[in-house]
Amino acid sequence: MNIEELVEKVNNSEISSIRQVVVRIVEVINDPDSSAKDLKDIIEIDPPLSAKLLKLSNSAIYGYPKRIMEIQEAIVCIGFEAVKELALSQKVCEVFMKTEALFDYTRLELWKHCVAVAMFSKLIARREFLERGENMYVAGLLHDIGIIIIDQFLQKEFISILERESEEKRNLNLIEKEVIGYDHTDISKAVFESWDVPDQIIMAISRHHDPLSIDDEHTKNAAIIFLADYFCCKNYIGYGDSTYTYVKTVYDCLEKFGIKEKAMEIILSEVEEEIRKMEQGGFFNG
Amino acid sequence: MDEQKLKDNIEVLEIKLHQLRNDYMLTKNDHENSTKKYLELVSQLSEKNKELEILKDSLEILVAERTGELLESEENLRHKNEELQIILDSSPVLIFYKDRKDKFVRVNKSFADFFGMLHEEITKKKSKDLFPESSSKQKKDEKTVIKTGKPKLNVIEEVITHNGTKWLSIDKVPYKDSTGKIIGIIGFGFDITKSKETEEENKRLQDQLFQSQKLESIGRLAGGIAHDFNNILAVISGYSEILRTYTKDLDPKMTKAVKAISDSSKRASKLTKQLLSFARRGRFNPVALDLNRLISDTVKVSEKIFEKKVTVRYDLDDDIKSVEGDKNQIIQVVTNLVINAKDAMPDGGLIEIKTRNVHVTKKQLKEFPELNPGEYVQLSISDTGVGIKDEVKQRIFEPFFTTKKEGIGTGLGLATTYGIVRHHRGFIDFQTRIGEGTTFTIWLPSSEKTVEDAKHKDEIIRGSATILVVDDEKSIRTLTKELLEDLGYTVLLAKDGFEALDIFCENRTRIDLVLLDMLMPKMDGRETYFKLTEIDPEIKVLIISGYIQDEKAYDVLNKGALGFIHKPYTINEISRHLSNALKN
Ligand SMILES: Nc1ncnc2c1ncn2[C@@H]1O[C@H](COP(=O)(O)OP(=O)(O)OP(=O)(O)O)[C@@H](O)[C@H]1O
Ligand SMILES: [Fe+2]
Ligand SMILES: [Fe+2]
Ligand SMILES: [Mg+2]
């Protein structure tokens, strides 16, 4: 199957049902004039999402003393930013819902990985680059969607890819390329281009395994996802597809942007803590 | 600690500080954004006003209908003059007829009564002689009705009567003879003074309610952020204090670096404390205070830094009652208000500070249903400065709202003041006139308690008792252990309530005191406290927390805990608390 056919299949499948909500929230993120009402409207069109969001808004993670009954209230009580992230991560979660354990990989574990990479990327953007980091959050959340797509539409190939990964101890994307001719970053790029996701996000995702090969305005964002991905995998937060990354690239990245390794460790411990709280709060129960 | 380890520690602290600073800046922006978004949500409520508008429209139609009916019967009425007058006089509506020359032809009893005149005093007189102060718009209105023959309905006019200023809603319709020629004007006036007043009162109340709800929710947002910062800061400042005692004899460069870290984290901690007091989650140590003395002590210090052009005048009530409050917080309130007053007078002027005992009535507290009427102490600080513009008035209590240059104002002054005053079960208000000055007034409930002299000691008190430290955060646990061991104590650690109970059971005879964190997952500090007192009713416990969730900490304090320590704390503070508690 070539990549165009694959994209068409994806767009005719359940996966594309997240498109509208995701793209519209990304619009809200990038439009300084957008209002809390815009966000509320986007969420309320989707009743199951609204219900889930209210349930989580009332969980111990946010520790809000009164019962939150409406999305509008959630925006006021736990914050505009938090509701955006919650809505995105819960919507994207729908793609990961079906659990089928193969080797190390289960979809929910992969989702946990994506949530961790999202948080990690956002923190790097904020702490090291003084940027708001919301687009990096989105990119982190979506960066490995390509893997799910392979799992769903190229199941036979995927089984052999996973087998080879554990035998050859090489990163997943390299083996994907050998087996099917393209890897999960190529797939993500093609799908998100057809969804009108902003370039900035697409390029960060599509180059997240190879950030330094080209030096342009997207290099920094790709490097952010790459670093977040690497540190999450190395510390076994969820299922990792970058366990065998070439460490030199990591150090090159850190050096290029003047980031200290200790800075990554500090962020890591915060992400770990946050994920632990989310686990306790039932966030990953699907 | 060897030198390399020390260097590493300093590096980590530096990175943390750098990250914290960036986060803080972004969070501040986000925060402003959230505030904006919140306001948008609130403004949607004004949609409701549209419904009112529709109601008003249908009312207008009704009035027009009624007017039409009255007009129809006009023909008949002209021939039944007396009957007419009787009918007119029985109407509560103010009715008048004027000819084209503005002369009154007829008015009804309601009209005459309303203006406190007799019928005969009015007819044949010109309206401009009777009501010399009537507006030119009113005259123009009437001219156009006569000229165009089209009625003007629902004209709101302010009129002066022997009963004071009143509001009328007047329908003015052309007065036609049987041939249809316009010979004058007929007016129907409705006294709307009452509804106008209640409308204004309602609007004012509603505005104030929005304002306080808005501030409450901003406060919650701010409190959440500040609480997290505080925990991070506790670790940074704690370790840098430890580092400081170790670096004394080392490389002076390093000593400087450690000092810089510790100084910056102190500054950051001051900022978050301000945020916390706005969010009403800060430390709260109420004692009886003499406001007069506190004012003169505080303002004298600030007076020194004022340029000579600013004069301060005191008008303090010698018999002022005491108030119960946190001394530092009340000092902060006075300082904030005085500095704002000074800032409002770039060319100098007069600050007047006044205290009074007052009785506050239920009516004054309409917007604060949770406060009780009764005896309050009133403090007002007036300036002769620039005043506050209408569009700024709404926002001055919002955190981060400032009209001052960057670096001069952070916009936390009044937000903090508001939080503190509300936390003390008081309230705040202000009056201002552009170009003339502003007066901020706060009311705090007065107390019967007498003021005691507090002695502050800055020394570190060492000890040798055994302390059980219960805290869910590992970094805080380790830090506390190191601090306490430096003070000579023996320390046991528990990572949650369950472990604390186990350790306490096993070492009951050894443990002299428990340091208990309030906010823990699973079993919180309060529950743990109750379980501990079940094992040993005489147990000594000090509560420790980043902020008070008011009821919980107070509950535990009421049930016998010996005191409350606020994170981040200094060595002095914790040593003092411990030695006091152990003395008991
Ligand atoms: N006495 C006053 N006269 C005129 N304007 C005032 C007065 N007090 C406060 N304001 C206005 O209210 C704004 C908010 O005051 P606030 O004390 O909260 O912040 P700030 O003084 O600007 O900064 P900060 O107190 O944090 O240094 C001020 O910027 C100013 O515009
Ligand atoms: Fe990947
Ligand atoms: Fe990944
Ligand atoms: Mg101020």
Side-chain angles (χ1 to χ4, degrees), chain A residues 3 10-11 18 21 25 33 64 71 74 84 87 117 135 149 162-163 167 170-171 182 207 219 227 243 249 252 254 258:
Chain A
I3 199 157
V10 169
N11 283 336
I18 68 165
V21 170
I25 295 183
D33 292 333
Y64 192 71
I71 296 299
K84 271 188 273 186
V117 171
N135 281 322
I149 295 175
L162 287 180
E163 270 168 0
E167 261 166 40
R170 288 194 299 146
N171 269 354
Y182 41 80
R207 278 160 40 187
T219 308
L227 287 172
T243 321
T249 321
D252 287 349
L254 291 174

Side-chain angles (χ1 to χ4, degrees), chain A residues 215-226:
Chain A
D215 195 1
D216 62 10
E217 81 260 34
H218 299 298
T219 308
K220 186 194 78 205
N221 290 341
I224 290 178
I225 307 292
F226 168 79

Side-chain angles (χ1 to χ4, degrees), chain A residues 142-262:
Chain A
L142 298 174
H143 83 282
D144 275 342
I145 286 262
I147 298 180
I148 287 284
I149 295 175
I150 299 179
D151 174 3
Q152 181 139 336
F153 298 102
L154 296 161
Q155 221 143 49
K156 258 210 313 277
E157 289 87 340
F158 191 53
I159 291 173
S160 75
I161 290 167
L162 287 180
E163 270 168 0
R164 277 183 59 184
E165 184 205 25
S166 64
E167 261 166 40
E168 297 170 17
K169 308 229 173 301
R170 288 194 299 146
N171 269 354
L172 209 60
N173 61 311
L174 302 174
I175 305 169
E176 287 165 355
K177 208 153 199 146
E178 288 169 17
V179 176
I180 48 183
Y182 41 80
D183 67 16
H184 65 269
T185 67
D186 300 323
I187 299 173
S188 305
K189 180 166 189 261
V191 170
F192 294 142
E193 271 170 355
S194 78
W195 285 13
D196 293 328
V197 172
D199 248 16
Q200 204 195 351
I201 295 175
I202 296 184
M203 293 315 281
I205 295 174
S206 97
R207 278 160 40 187
H208 81 261
H209 284 292
D210 192 12
L212 299 182
S213 60
I214 312 170
D215 195 1
D216 62 10
E217 81 260 34
H218 299 298
T219 308
K220 186 194 78 205
N221 290 341
I224 290 178
I225 307 292
F226 168 79
L227 287 172
D229 191 25
Y230 171 78
F231 282 98
C232 288
C233 289
K234 195 179 143 208
N235 294 284
Y236 307 107
I237 310 182
Y239 165 77
D241 66 325
S242 308
T243 321
Y244 309 113
T245 293
Y246 192 33
V247 184
K248 181 166 180 303
T249 321
V250 177
Y251 284 111
D252 287 349
C253 261
L254 291 174
E255 195 182 341
K256 181 173 169 68
F257 294 103
I259 302 173
K260 300 214 170 80
E261 194 181 349
K262 287 220 172 69

Side-chain angles (χ1 to χ4, degrees), chain B residues 472-483:
Chain B
D472 60 315
E473 248 170 272
K474 181 154 178 267
S475 50
I476 300 265
R477 256 186 341 260
T478 343
L479 166 66
T480 316
K481 183 173 156 77
E482 282 176 43
L483 277 179

Side-chain angles (χ1 to χ4, degrees), chain B residues 545-557:
Chain B
S545 173
Y547 64 89
I548 310 183
Q549 285 196 312
D550 283 355
E551 322 88 59
K552 277 193 186 165
Y554 274 119
D555 192 18
V556 176
L557 277 174

Side-chain angles (χ1 to χ4, degrees), chain B residues 40-57:
Chain B
E40 283 164 11
L41 273 185
V42 168
S43 71
Q44 278 164 27
L45 286 173
S46 67
E47 298 272 322
K48 292 243 160 67
N49 291 340
K50 291 225 182 83
E51 286 166 29
L52 266 173
E53 205 68 36
I54 293 169
L55 245 152
K56 214 180 100 207
D57 282 351

